[in-house]
Every structure is written in C-alpha cells, then in structure tokens.
C-alpha cells in the first residue's frame, strides 16, 4: 500500500543484458555469491525509482534478458503489455525509422 493507503501499481520492466564490455546494456556480476546486474540505463532507472513519488505509487518487477531477443520482439512485448518498460540502449537504424 502507498502512504495514502492506495494499492501500488505493478510495473513490469524488461532489461536488456549483455557482456560488461558492451557498455550499452546491463551485465551480470557476482557479489557475495549472488547474481546481480548493473549498467548505465539500469543504474539510472534504479536511482529514478527511489524518488518518493515513484516508490509510493509503484512496485517494479524486473525481468533480465535470458535469451537473444530481437528489437522487434521487444517492441511487440511492450506494445502488447507484456512489459511496461524496456531498458537498454536502442539505436536508430534505417529499418526502425
């Protein structure tokens, strides 16, 4: 419940993952035997959702990419409501214009 007794909305977040050297997606690392993720887009998003107006209204459920997925599949998954947000670095290409 939020501070005003309202039920929090669940937000489904899909996170693109890849090698640490890519610099454009989240990457997995181990800390104290646990798999954790970090990367620019994910780190910025995590900071943004710490804001009171965000954490009071929403619960964020993260799903980290396990298999290769195409740009089109990501867009379709967000458009269909499977996810509300996709985090990663998306570049403009002639096919996507």
């Amino acid at each position: 419940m939020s501070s005003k007794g309202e039920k929090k909305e669940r937000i489904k977040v899909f996170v693109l993952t890849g090698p640490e050297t890519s610099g454009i997606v989240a990457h997995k690392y181990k800390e104290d035997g646990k798999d954790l993720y970090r990367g620019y887009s994910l780190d910025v998003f995590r900071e943004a959702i710490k804001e009171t107006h965000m954490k009071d209204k929403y619960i964020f459920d993260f799903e980290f990419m396990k298999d290769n997925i195409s740009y089109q599949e990501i867009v379709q998954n967000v458009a269909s409501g499977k996810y509300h947000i996709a985090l990663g670095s998306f570049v403009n290409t002639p096919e996507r214009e």
Side-chain angles (χ1 to χ4, degrees):
M1 295 278 186
S2 72
S3 59
K4 297 179 183 176
E6 300 164 353
K7 189 174 179 179
K8 293 182 180 182
E9 181 180 352
R10 290 190 101 68
I11 304 296
K12 297 174 283 185
V13 182
F14 178 78
V15 183
L16 288 160
T17 62
E20 181 176 3
T21 56
S22 74
I24 60 171
V25 294
H27 59 275
K28 186 179 357 181
Y29 68 100
K30 286 205 180 281
E31 185 172 289
D32 298 327
K34 295 180 184 176
D35 287 340
L36 301 173
Y37 291 87
R38 64 179 163 213
Y40 183 76
S41 298
L42 178 60
D43 295 346
V44 169
F45 187 78
R46 283 181 173 153
E47 285 301 311
I49 64 177
K50 288 180 183 177
E51 295 293 321
T52 303
H53 67 281
M54 297 292 280
K55 65 183 179 182
D56 283 353
K57 285 182 76 173
Y58 306 105
I59 296 170
F60 295 89
D61 296 324
F62 291 88
E63 182 174 325
F64 295 89
M65 184 176 82
K66 294 174 185 67
D67 301 310
N68 285 338
I69 185 169
S70 71
Y71 171 82
Q72 190 61 37
E73 289 173 286
I74 295 168
V75 170
Q76 288 170 348
N77 287 339
V78 172
S80 73
K82 181 174 181 179
Y83 303 108
H84 296 104
I85 299 169
L87 291 178
S89 182
F90 298 93
V91 295
N92 202 18
T93 66
E95 295 84 22
R96 296 179 188 161
E97 289 185 2

